[in-house]
Amino acid sequence: MTTVLIVEDENLLLKTLSTILKRKGYDVKTAATSAEARAAIFEGDSNLDLLVLDIWLAGHSGLDILREIKVNKPDLPVIVMSGGSVGRPLEQDVAIADVYGAATVLIKPFQADELVAAVQSALGR
Amino acid sequence: MSQRNQVEYGIASLYEQVARSVYEERGPKAIHPVQWSALRYFQRASSQAGTVSGLAKFLGVTSGPASRAVASLVKRGLIEPRPHPEDRRSMLYRLTATGQQAMTNDPINRLANALQCIDAQDKRTFGAVIIKLAEVLGTQGGGE
């Protein structure tokens, strides 16, 4: 079964995204903080097939996680989600995510079918 | 100017020249850089995100400049409005066929194509440097 880790600090959105992908048959793991995300990605035998990463986690940049993935797990596809943040244009976040090789950037708000299409595309199916 | 500062000034000058050369087209009919950014946003935005407020977040500006950019692109026939299905006070914008055609000539492609000639390792280094530079400039805030 394909395992997807969703990293999102908004609890309601995290549950919604999780439900959408579970209904599509994915094994979904979740993380709500940078620390939880790092543990799930880098510690133990995570066996993740895809990461869906919110770029802003409680004021911290998920781009740091993306940077670490590029170095330590370059084969793990990543879908970045962002709705912008205070103090930095979303345009810059999108460009940085592109530089780090994100499979796609989903700009919030997006619809369920857009998430599913992005997941399928990132997994190459 | 110190020797060290001279090197940095030279790099900064070349960087500025390269960035400026991307937008060769000039004159009243030219699409301005901020309008190109807006077109890129509406091309990439999710179906529910193509709003003026979404564009404002993307550009890091207030709603006024974003509204003006949207109005000018609508006037030029490059984007078109449609009612927001969940918010009657808001409109959603998407590229028209003319806008999609314009995006095939997005001037940033010229720079992206030039980067394809750069060695992969150099490209990684350049990417890391430019991200760091953007972060430093962001931390420093606006100009003097």
Side-chain angles (χ1 to χ4, degrees):
Chain A
M1 184 180 270
T2 304
T3 303
V4 180
L5 172 66
I6 304 174
V7 183
E8 169 61 61
D9 63 347
E10 290 179 41
N11 196 35
L12 182 60
L13 182 55
L14 182 60
K15 285 182 179 173
T16 303
L17 298 175
S18 176
T19 301
I20 291 167
L21 294 186
K22 280 178 180 171
R23 284 181 181 163
K24 288 291 176 183
Y26 296 105
D27 173 30
V28 178
K29 297 180 177 179
T30 61
T33 66
S34 295
E36 287 178 13
R38 283 194 168 83
I41 297 165
F42 299 114
E43 294 173 13
D45 52 344
S46 57
N47 289 326
L48 297 176
D49 296 296
L50 176 68
L51 173 64
V52 180
L53 174 68
D54 183 20
I55 219 165
W56 285 100
L57 295 166
H60 293 92
S61 175
L63 289 170
D64 292 338
I65 296 175
L66 196 56
R67 180 186 300 146
E68 290 169 38
I69 288 170
K70 187 177 175 70
V71 174
N72 299 310
K73 295 217 167 191
D75 295 330
L76 177 62
V78 182
I79 293 171
V80 165
M81 305 180 287
S82 182
S85 65
V86 176
R88 189 154 87 184
L90 173 59
E91 185 176 27
Q92 193 174 103
D93 286 341
V94 171
I96 293 173
D98 283 344
V99 172
Y100 285 141
T104 193
V105 180
L106 283 173
I107 297 175
K108 297 177 183 174
F110 51 82
Q111 293 188 316
D113 58 349
E114 290 171 313
L115 171 66
V116 172
V119 166
Q120 289 172 341
S121 173
L123 291 168
R125 63 193 68 163
Chain B
M1 188 183 300
S2 70
Q3 183 70 31
R4 184 165 173 238
N5 189 251
Q6 189 175 346
V7 169
E8 289 151 354
Y9 190 89
I11 292 171
S13 177
L14 275 174
Y15 176 66
E16 194 274 340
Q17 289 169 45
V18 167
R20 189 154 34 93
S21 72
V22 169
Y23 298 98
E24 282 185 318
E25 197 182 346
R26 298 281 190 271
K29 289 187 177 177
I31 299 174
H32 299 167
V34 70
Q35 293 172 336
W36 278 114
S37 286
L39 288 173
R40 288 176 203 128
Y41 176 72
F42 289 115
Q43 186 180 51
R44 290 186 75 148
S46 310
S47 61
Q48 303 293 301
T51 59
V52 169
S53 63
L55 175 63
K57 285 181 186 173
F58 185 73
L59 297 175
V61 299
T62 57
S63 59
S67 292
R68 286 193 289 277
V70 164
S72 66
L73 293 174
V74 169
K75 192 175 176 184
R76 297 176 68 136
L78 296 170
I79 61 172
E80 61 188 357
R82 59 195 165 96
H84 195 301
E86 294 166 12
D87 182 0
R88 284 189 297 175
R89 295 168 303 173
S90 185
M91 299 294 281
L92 289 169
Y93 295 87
R94 62 185 169 197
L95 295 186
T96 61
T98 307
Q100 288 169 3
Q101 177 60 34
M103 287 304 289
T104 63
N105 296 315
D106 183 346
I108 214 168
N109 290 338
R110 185 162 166 256
L111 190 52
N113 291 340
L115 282 166
Q116 287 185 341
C117 303
I118 305 293
D119 167 78
Q121 179 59 44
D122 286 347
K123 211 156 29 191
R124 277 193 292 275
T125 303
F126 183 61
V129 168
I130 208 158
I131 287 169
K132 183 69 181 169
L133 196 57
E135 288 172 349
V136 170
L137 287 170
T139 304
Q140 288 175 348
E144 294 168 30

